[in-house]
Amino acid sequence: MHCRTKRQMQNAIQVCNRRGRYDLKGYCAVCGKSMYRLGGWEAVAAAARRNAER
């Protein structure tokens, strides 16, 4: 069993999915389980900007 909470991703790489968009693939910083997040680096940067504005 692995943790199912939102955690920091280690060794993240940007991969192209079958629809031609970019996603992030890496490992959980706590349990080491593989993680996959929709949206590439641009989506992460946009979310950080939204959180900083609040």
Side-chain angles (χ1 to χ4, degrees), residues 13-27:
I13 58 170
Q14 187 167 328
V15 295
C16 185
N17 64 20
R18 64 180 176 213
R19 293 184 180 185
R21 297 190 180 185
Y22 292 103
D23 299 332
L24 295 176
K25 189 175 184 180
Y27 298 96

Side-chain angles (χ1 to χ4, degrees), residues 4-51:
R4 291 187 171 260
T5 59
K6 290 189 178 183
R7 305 260 187 195
Q8 291 291 323
M9 187 182 292
Q10 287 183 331
N11 302 330
I13 58 170
Q14 187 167 328
V15 295
C16 185
N17 64 20
R18 64 180 176 213
R19 293 184 180 185
R21 297 190 180 185
Y22 292 103
D23 299 332
L24 295 176
K25 189 175 184 180
Y27 298 96
C28 177
V30 176
C31 68
K33 183 74 176 173
S34 63
M35 297 173 70
Y36 193 86
R37 289 199 183 143
L38 300 177
W41 300 117
E42 295 83 19
V44 172
R49 281 193 299 268
R50 282 194 303 268
N51 289 339

